[in-house]
Amino acid sequence: MSATIDVTEILRAGVEATDAALERLLPAPDAVPSSIHRAIRHSTFAGGKRLRPVLAMEAARTLRRDRALPAGVEDLGAAIEMLHTYSLIHDDLPALDNDDLRRGKPTCHVVFGEAIAILAGDALQTLAYQTLAQLRCPAPATVEIIRLIAEATGTVEGMIGGQVLDLEGEGTRPTAESVDAIHRAKTGALIRVSIVTGGVYAGATPEDVERLTIFGRKAGLAFQIVDDVLDMTQDSAHLGKTAGKDLATDKATWPAVFGIEASRRDAARLIDEAFAALEPYGPAADGLKTVARFLVERTN
Amino acid sequence: MSATIDVTEILRAGVEATDAALERLLPAPDAVPSSIHRAIRHSTFAGGKRLRPVLAMEAARTLRRDRALPAGVEDLGAAIEMLHTYSLIHDDLPALDNDDLRRGKPTCHVVFGEAIAILAGDALQTLAYQTLAQLRCPAPATVEIIRLIAEATGTVEGMIGGQVLDLEGEGTRPTAESVDAIHRAKTGALIRVSIVTGGVYAGATPEDVERLTIFGRKAGLAFQIVDDVLDMTQDSAHLGKTAGKDLATDKATWPAVFGIEASRRDAARLIDEAFAALEPYGPAADGLKTVARFLVERTN
């Protein structure tokens, strides 16, 4: 069965379904007040790969014997992408990372000003919950999805908590513990919950939730390690600086603490452990595994 | 029956129940990462009157023949108060209103810095939805409450939309239409939805929702008009400037456009119209009416 799974096609279809859902769910760019609606669309349609929605969809498929996508699951992916985008808009603000560019495009506050960027981030969070409250799954599953997502994006071991840990750690030498805690919370929690809520949307039992949680936790950490390694090796090529110099910086990344080779081994080990959690699903999990394998083996 | 209703006691009990719920629902001040948890508590426990929770509770009572509070409704009020607080923290930021003080206390960004203030506002919005997803009412009612609240705090005729209209209107002469649109969205929508969701929590029928929506829309506008009149007359006393000077400013307020006397008449007329919508409930609505009457007749 896995021979028939084309990861490029899964990723392309995921982008297409998510972008169509976002186009339908976000207010029109000329809806009053238009400045914020243009700002929301500027940042939401900035060339994201929609990896979280793809993971949610493949997790949903894993629980279906026929691997069919449950109707409307793309709205769950769109809501998760709104949350991801809100966190990027606020992260880029002058008071936080002060980034003028993201994926080569000017950031939200550069184009629309700080006030609108703050409110556009706020509004994307609000729109995410409005979207979740209109999901086409039974009400108890919807409530569970909302609870899980709020928890994963909150301050206690969630996305915002990770941002705060990252801010607090600036200028201090990262340790294995601090890098792990930041990764788990800042990026890991939203990836994990994308996978788990995809399962809940498809009718997961408590055992399914437990397996998807283990898979999501380990795979999410592996993705982040690979991201950090790519950042570092791409930086080396781009800036002409050596890996040794990167290791000497205070950036809270996995390879900065453990080195590049150990990081690659850790990512490979984590993905093997993650796959073990999907054993009971047999070939139904092939899509999810294929996407995960692609993400840890990519070279850019 | 109305002779037995003591508004001071209703307000006091509302503050007590809401504050106890917030104390239980917000992470402890020393929970990691502590800076954001201290920031959240600084702004949440800053002496608010908890009017929105009180309105939610009294609306819930209106639908109960015995006027008993449904168990756990204070968590709905706490979630609404988290949303109100998040909007105040972000409104006070340097990029928005740039306020250093609120109710005589230093604002969140003054004490904790802009980065933490932005994230504390974000986190209060997240915590509000986490709280809503754990309400003790049937799942379909919970989903409906979340949908209504997200809509009322969003960009299209909701709270964030009102903030954007207010920003866009700065420096231009307010008109009757612009003041009305800003009021309805910026403050009116959250007050209205507090009342409506209090009803939904108590098991409202579609007819109940319609009546509470009419009541909430009219009463909310009346409260805002009275707020504006008090701001203006208190400003006059405090700053020694005349009402005529206030009328000449470009502040988007009801009395600035219509004058103080007409504003007072409008508020009284709106409250009468609001009460008419509660006619079918007879004395069960006395608590809600008593609180509304108190809010439009208060002098500070």
Side-chain angles (χ1 to χ4, degrees), chain B residues 152-181:
Chain B
T153 54
T155 58
V156 179
E157 295 174 25
M159 185 175 76
I160 299 172
Q163 288 174 304
V164 177
L165 290 176
D166 208 8
L167 280 174
E168 286 180 349
E170 271 172 18
T172 65
R173 178 125 198 127
T175 64
E177 287 73 30
S178 70
V179 170
D180 189 42

Side-chain angles (χ1 to χ4, degrees), chain B residues 42-183:
Chain B
H42 170 86
S43 293
T44 307
F45 296 110
K49 298 191 206 84
R50 315 303 188 198
L51 296 179
R52 291 158 193 78
V54 166
L55 289 166
M57 290 180 204
E58 290 305 319
R61 269 194 174 134
T62 298
L63 305 192
R64 298 276 177 129
R65 224 166 276 199
D66 59 0
R67 297 201 70 250
L69 273 181
V73 70
E74 62 277 10
D75 285 16
L76 169 62
I80 291 169
E81 205 63 13
M82 291 178 201
L83 292 169
H84 177 53
T85 307
Y86 119 68
S87 79
L88 298 181
I89 293 174
H90 282 188
D91 237 8
D92 287 338
L93 286 168
L96 285 106
D97 287 354
N98 195 21
D99 276 321
D100 287 350
L101 288 173
R102 180 172 287 277
R103 295 199 197 97
K105 287 181 68 171
T107 47
C108 196
H109 64 272
V110 169
V111 180
F112 297 94
E114 265 185 75
I116 291 293
I118 292 167
L119 295 173
D122 291 348
L124 275 164
Q125 181 171 191
T126 311
L127 269 167
Y129 288 104
Q130 192 176 337
T131 300
L132 293 173
Q134 295 178 86
L135 287 180
R136 287 192 270 155
C137 60
T142 297
V143 172
E144 178 69 356
I145 287 170
I146 291 171
R147 190 186 66 75
L148 288 166
I149 286 179
E151 211 173 78
T153 54
T155 58
V156 179
E157 295 174 25
M159 185 175 76
I160 299 172
Q163 288 174 304
V164 177
L165 290 176
D166 208 8
L167 280 174
E168 286 180 349
E170 271 172 18
T172 65
R173 178 125 198 127
T175 64
E177 287 73 30
S178 70
V179 170
D180 189 42
I182 293 170
H183 276 167

